[in-house]
Amino acid sequence: MLKVYGIKNCDTMKKTFRLLEENDVAYEFIDYKKNPPSEELINGFLDSIALEKVVNKRGTTFRKLSEEEKVHLEDAKTAVPLLASHSSMIKRPLIVYPSGMISVGLDPEVILQSK
């Protein structure tokens, strides 16, 4: 079963849920607002996917950061604590597949390969 990480009210997440449900793909949803990601979880993501693919630089949370905080997002050691405390800066959806593969963002072709 897929593990889908994100924020329930995000428009991209709503599109993702619709895609999964319309294609009968079973998934477990983990809402960052109810279950904030731990540093260990984020480090696990970064074992499989590059930091720059995980950080959402287009959102409001990123834009509100100071320049110093933005610099911290360039290195995993300093980025992980910041992402753990500001989980809305993690691109959505972040999907972990049964194979261990991870994808970030709404890419229907990649997501439906798991079916």
Side-chain angles (χ1 to χ4, degrees), residues 22-87:
E22 286 174 355
N23 289 279
D24 296 320
V25 177
Y27 66 93
E28 174 187 0
F29 173 58
I30 298 93
D31 190 336
Y32 291 143
K33 297 295 181 188
K34 293 181 181 176
N35 298 301
S38 66
E39 290 186 22
E40 293 78 20
L41 180 66
I42 296 168
N43 278 315
F45 295 156
L46 296 178
D47 286 343
S48 299
I49 195 156
L51 177 63
E52 55 272 2
K53 289 188 177 189
V54 173
V55 178
N56 177 6
K57 294 184 177 180
R58 296 177 64 190
T60 309
T61 305
F62 177 81
R63 289 193 298 266
K64 289 182 180 179
L65 294 178
S66 69
E67 289 307 312
E68 181 182 340
E69 288 173 313
K70 289 178 183 177
V71 169
H72 288 314
L73 291 170
E74 295 172 12
D75 179 75
K77 284 184 183 178
T78 53
V80 169
L82 197 54
L83 291 170
S85 64
H86 298 293
S87 59

